[in-house]
């Protein structure tokens, strides 16, 4: 059996925020032989994504650049965890910029980015300031649809309530869900219109 390698991408502009705290609680439950890599996107700022699809091919970024580091980490992972707070009902700007770069990686010659990610699992973890989970539907949709397009599995989004530092550690329901979040079987992601069609 292939060793699972989890990549935790922290999309908050501050360290040790509520989303990261919840992600670390969930990660504590992973078996000891599961590899974990944690990357703060704020510490490896990506350049603005430039859409070159109608102009030229994208070149593979240098391994020692932020883009190259994140590309290599993404390709090495069996499980990619987007740990971004809920910002204006979706992922943070740091996280969105990372996902935008997927568009370039899809067009990088010899990378086969989409084929490489197919069958791997995308997860989400988010803290939100409120106890109504439906406000995170756009966030969930962003990750679910991205996984569906890439042919990935989608493990869902672990939500917790937290605004002030450390608040999420008072959300006993979220902490209980964190204990089994990564133990669930992640189904193949499908677009909502595909699910509706049966």
């Amino acid at each position: 059996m292939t060793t699972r390698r989890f990549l935790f991408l922290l999309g908050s502009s501050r360290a040790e925020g509520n989303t990261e705290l919840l992600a670390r609680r969930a990660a504590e439950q992973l078996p000891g032989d599961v590899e974990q890599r944690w990357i703060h996107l704020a510490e490896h700022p990506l350049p603005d994504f430039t859409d070159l699809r109608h102009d030229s091919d994208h070149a593979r970024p240098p391994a020692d650049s932020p883009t190259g580091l994140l590309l290599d980490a993404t390709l090495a992972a069996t499980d990619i965890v987007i740990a971004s707070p809920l910002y204006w009902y979706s992922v943070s700007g740091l996280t969105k910029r990372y996902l935008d770069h997927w568009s370039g990686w899809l067009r990088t010659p010899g990378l086969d980015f989409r084929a490489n990610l197919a069958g791997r699992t995308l997860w989400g973890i988010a803290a939100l300031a409120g106890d109504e989970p439906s406000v995170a539907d756009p966030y969930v949709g962003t990750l679910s649809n991205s996984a569906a397009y890439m042919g990935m599995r989608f493990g869902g989004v672990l939500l917790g309530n937290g605004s002030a530092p450390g608040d999420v550690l008072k959300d006993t329901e979220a902490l209980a869900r964190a204990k089994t979040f990564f133990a669930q079987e992640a189904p193949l992601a499908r677009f909502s219109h595909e699910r509706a069609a049966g």
Side-chain angles (χ1 to χ4, degrees), residues 108-196:
T108 301
L111 207 55
D112 294 325
F113 186 69
R114 190 175 184 183
N116 269 299
L117 260 60
R120 303 186 193 196
T121 305
L122 186 66
W123 309 82
I125 298 177
L128 59 153
D131 55 8
E132 178 45 65
S134 67
V135 301
D137 286 352
Y139 181 113
V140 176
T142 292
L143 298 187
S144 176
N145 288 337
S146 298
Y149 180 78
M150 299 297 287
M152 301 175 73
R153 298 182 175 278
F154 182 54
V157 177
L158 173 63
L159 296 173
N161 185 353
S163 181
D167 268 358
V168 76
L169 299 180
K170 304 171 190 173
D171 186 344
T172 55
E173 292 184 7
L175 296 179
R177 289 191 299 270
K179 289 184 177 181
T180 59
F181 183 57
F182 292 128
Q184 64 184 322
E185 186 69 28
L188 192 65
R190 297 173 69 197
F191 291 107
S192 58
H193 64 272
E194 294 174 333
R195 295 193 298 269

Side-chain angles (χ1 to χ4, degrees), residues 46-131:
L46 291 167
D48 286 333
F49 172 70
T50 303
D51 188 351
L52 300 174
R53 65 184 141 174
H54 300 299
D55 301 316
S56 63
D57 286 329
H58 288 252
R60 185 177 182 124
D64 60 353
S65 69
T67 312
L69 175 134
L70 286 165
L71 169 59
D72 291 343
T74 300
L75 290 173
T78 61
D79 295 77
I80 300 168
V81 184
I82 300 294
S84 166
L86 187 74
Y87 286 166
W88 287 105
Y89 312 105
S90 190
V91 296
S92 69
L94 290 167
T95 303
K96 180 62 167 60
R97 183 173 290 186
Y98 162 75
L99 292 173
D100 284 347
H101 276 270
W102 282 21
S103 297
W105 299 340
L106 282 167
R107 293 170 177 82
T108 301
L111 207 55
D112 294 325
F113 186 69
R114 190 175 184 183
N116 269 299
L117 260 60
R120 303 186 193 196
T121 305
L122 186 66
W123 309 82
I125 298 177
L128 59 153
D131 55 8

Side-chain angles (χ1 to χ4, degrees), residues 31-54:
D33 62 343
V34 170
E35 297 177 23
Q36 296 183 32
R37 183 171 185 184
W38 295 75
I39 296 179
H40 286 268
L41 293 175
E43 295 177 0
H44 304 279
L46 291 167
D48 286 333
F49 172 70
T50 303
D51 188 351
L52 300 174
R53 65 184 141 174
H54 300 299

